[in-house]
Amino acid sequence: MNRKRRGGGGFLLALLLVAIVSLGVPSFTVMMVFAASESHAPETEAKAQQRTEKIVSEKKLDPKELAVRKMTKHGPALIVVDAGHGGVDDGCLGGGLLEKDVNLQIALLVKEKLEEKGFQVMMPRETDEYLAIEERVELANSYQADAYISIHQNTYEGSDKSVCGIETWYDGGDKTRDNEKLARLVHQEALKSTGAKERKLWDIADYCVTNKTLMPACLIETGFLSNPEESRRLSSKAYQEKLAQGIAEGIALYFTS
Ligand SMILES: [Zn+2]
């Protein structure tokens, strides 16, 4: 995760400043609509359309592709699989690995496993590109996704290289979404499929991706790059497959149990 703990009051302020400075007054209005949506107020069709158009132009998504996803909204659940960091943002480092690369490799495998189970999957990034945290959340909210999973690697900044294992974070304060169930099942199944050391399931996540998303969301840190043995495992395709299988199974259980 690497000290990028986001959320709280700074988020809205940053969003407003970005809107005012770079996008001008009309987009400022759009941002206010987005901010207001946190209270789960109903959104008019026109406003939703306006927001969707903005996302499409920013991410250069094919509008036809977006329409297909929207039409199938009531079919298989749509899962956002977010590979943390990317582009100029490497995340943490260790064992010759960059967190952003490991996150993406695992996320792509999670996408594959979820699609095998019949889910629809959207990834904010599928390549090594920089994408602001707020943009990822806005994409997920705009798509009205059914669940959001953010994938990260951990690092221990002290001298103890033996620290290892999986920890998972969710916003336990927001009772409008079943974040706890999603986080608990993803945590449990990832541990089961890998045999990794269990670390805490944290209910106090203060990250933009866990707190500003409107659907059940969690953030999993699948291991410590600062631990030489664990970073070696994390770099192997076989171990990444196990992690992805567990994460996908946890998400599937969320919808079926
Ligand atoms: Zn990270």
Side-chain angles (χ1 to χ4, degrees), residues 132-216:
I133 303 288
E134 292 79 6
E135 254 185 303
R136 300 167 195 240
V137 171
E138 192 168 346
L139 272 168
N141 290 345
S142 165
Y143 275 68
Q144 298 172 40
D146 300 290
Y148 188 108
I149 174 120
S150 177
I151 296 174
H152 284 258
Q153 308 308 309
N154 225 330
T155 186
Y156 187 73
E157 305 203 343
S159 58
D160 188 354
K161 300 293 177 204
S162 71
V163 176
C164 64
I166 294 175
E167 62 184 38
T168 307
W169 295 75
Y170 68 96
D171 177 3
D174 182 352
K175 302 298 180 196
T176 63
R177 302 178 287 154
D178 202 353
N179 299 319
E180 188 274 339
K181 181 180 176 187
L182 179 69
R184 176 171 39 84
L185 291 169
V186 165
H187 189 68
Q188 166 194 305
E189 294 303 311
L191 287 165
K192 203 190 285 181
S193 67
T194 57
K197 179 179 162 51
E198 178 169 13
R199 290 176 60 84
K200 202 170 169 182
L201 179 61
W202 294 93
D203 65 355
I204 51 163
D206 186 22
Y207 308 127
C208 183
V209 294
T210 50
N211 300 19
K212 302 294 177 187
T213 35
L214 300 176
M215 66 292 306

Side-chain angles (χ1 to χ4, degrees), residues 1-4 84-85 89-92 99-100 103 151-154 219 221:
M1 164 52 76
N2 190 23
R3 71 217 158 252
K4 297 254 157 68
H85 310 280
D89 177 9
D90 290 336
C92 64
E99 181 191 350
K100 64 175 183 176
N103 294 342
I151 296 174
H152 284 258
Q153 308 308 309
N154 225 330
L219 182 154
E221 308 227 33

Side-chain angles (χ1 to χ4, degrees), residues 34-153:
F34 173 57
S37 70
E38 273 176 60
S39 64
H40 301 268
E43 188 178 46
T44 64
E45 279 292 320
K47 282 177 180 168
Q49 180 66 27
Q50 195 181 7
R51 210 149 49 79
T52 302
E53 280 168 10
K54 179 171 168 288
I55 299 278
V56 168
S57 69
E58 280 177 2
K59 278 293 288 176
K60 298 185 175 57
L61 291 175
D62 180 350
K64 280 186 203 148
E65 194 186 356
L66 189 61
V68 169
R69 283 175 175 151
K70 277 195 169 298
M71 276 197 302
T72 53
K73 172 73 173 66
H74 299 291
L78 171 63
I79 315 298
V80 172
V81 179
D82 183 12
H85 310 280
V88 294
D89 177 9
D90 290 336
C92 64
L93 321 170
L97 303 173
L98 299 179
E99 181 191 350
K100 64 175 183 176
D101 296 333
V102 180
N103 294 342
L104 182 58
Q105 287 157 6
I106 296 169
L108 286 166
L109 291 171
V110 172
K111 176 179 194 267
E112 192 181 296
K113 310 289 177 206
L114 285 171
E115 285 175 347
E116 282 168 16
K117 291 176 185 293
F119 287 100
Q120 289 198 297
V121 177
M122 195 275 277
M123 292 178 68
R125 72 172 182 103
E126 293 188 56
T127 58
D128 182 18
E129 66 168 325
Y130 176 78
L131 199 58
I133 303 288
E134 292 79 6
E135 254 185 303
R136 300 167 195 240
V137 171
E138 192 168 346
L139 272 168
N141 290 345
S142 165
Y143 275 68
Q144 298 172 40
D146 300 290
Y148 188 108
I149 174 120
S150 177
I151 296 174
H152 284 258
Q153 308 308 309

Side-chain angles (χ1 to χ4, degrees), residues 11-33:
F11 168 70
L12 273 184
L13 184 61
L15 201 60
L16 295 180
L17 284 173
V18 167
I20 293 164
V21 171
S22 66
L23 302 170
V25 174
S27 295
F28 172 74
T29 311
V30 173
M31 289 294 185
M32 288 307 287
V33 169

